[in-house]
Amino acid sequence: MNFPQIQMQSQMGQIEISQTRGKQEITQPKAELSIKQPSAEMEIRTTPSRLTIDQTKAWEDMNLMSVLRSSEKFAEEGKTGLQEGIARRAEQGRQMMEIEHQGQVFVNQAISNSERSSKNLNIAFIPSPFAVKIDYKPSQVHIDVQRNDPIIDAIPHYPEHRYNPGEISIKMAQYPYLEIDITDTEL
């Protein structure tokens, strides 16, 4: 037994897409820039240094002093010598008053009064160490600086943007179709 048959033929559809790309152009002009830097203002003040040298003691050690100072020195030495002499005589007087306690007071005093004091042999024209006094005050520096900020003028230029959009065209390159045939066959 023969059955009818269906025959089918088909063709796929095809789409054709063509594209032109978009074009984009961006330019950035340079900014206009002006910078000015005012000079800083500086003021410097100094106090002078001070050096003081006092060599009065060194001159005195070498016996090269002013008349006024030598008179004062000799007066001080005379006063000291007078006080030492008064003290020595008072002590000897006390010893004589108490003669009963000590044996040979007059002999001992006569010997001590007749002896001369020993002299030191020194070089008298060399000053003593550190006789020259030096005082130094260094100078002081005061610096005042007034800085000035820079003056900046800037004119920006914005970006220039140009855009041409692309195109897309879509069309059918091949249309789809479907054919259906029925064939009879005899029974």
Side-chain angles (χ1 to χ4, degrees), residues 73-164:
K73 183 179 176 185
F74 293 143
E76 287 175 14
E77 289 175 1
K79 185 178 178 182
T80 304
L82 176 66
Q83 289 173 347
E84 288 174 0
I86 291 172
R88 182 176 50 84
R89 284 184 178 76
E91 177 62 26
Q92 287 178 354
R94 189 190 55 76
Q95 288 174 358
M96 283 190 238
M97 282 177 25
E98 297 174 354
I99 195 165
E100 68 272 359
H101 298 299
Q102 300 173 1
Q104 299 180 345
V105 174
F106 292 106
V107 174
N108 291 338
Q109 286 182 5
I111 291 172
S112 68
N113 289 342
S114 65
E115 292 177 351
R116 291 186 177 180
S117 61
S118 61
K119 301 274 183 182
N120 290 333
L121 294 176
N122 287 332
I123 300 173
F125 56 86
I126 295 178
S128 60
F130 305 110
V132 177
K133 292 182 176 61
I134 298 174
D135 182 39
Y136 177 71
K137 292 182 181 172
S139 62
Q140 294 182 351
V141 179
H142 301 282
I143 300 174
D144 293 328
V145 177
Q146 178 67 39
R147 69 176 186 90
N148 293 321
D149 293 332
I151 300 168
I152 301 173
D153 292 327
I155 301 172
H157 293 291
Y158 296 104
E160 296 172 359
H161 182 245
R162 287 178 292 285
Y163 177 68
N164 293 327

Side-chain angles (χ1 to χ4, degrees), residues 16-75:
E16 181 180 306
I17 300 175
S18 63
Q19 172 188 5
T20 57
R21 291 184 169 231
K23 188 173 184 184
Q24 176 171 279
E25 192 175 307
I26 299 174
T27 56
Q28 174 69 56
K30 291 185 179 180
E32 295 176 25
L33 187 62
S34 169
I35 300 175
K36 294 176 186 172
Q37 177 63 61
S39 299
E41 297 170 14
M42 182 184 297
E43 181 181 343
I44 301 174
R45 293 184 313 274
T46 59
T47 57
S49 57
R50 184 173 183 161
L51 175 65
T52 306
I53 300 173
D54 184 9
Q55 55 187 7
T56 307
K57 176 91 169 85
W59 289 115
E60 288 177 6
D61 289 350
M62 296 186 296
N63 278 332
L64 298 172
M65 57 189 111
S66 67
V67 175
L68 181 64
R69 179 64 187 135
S70 63
S71 298
E72 288 175 1
K73 183 179 176 185
F74 293 143

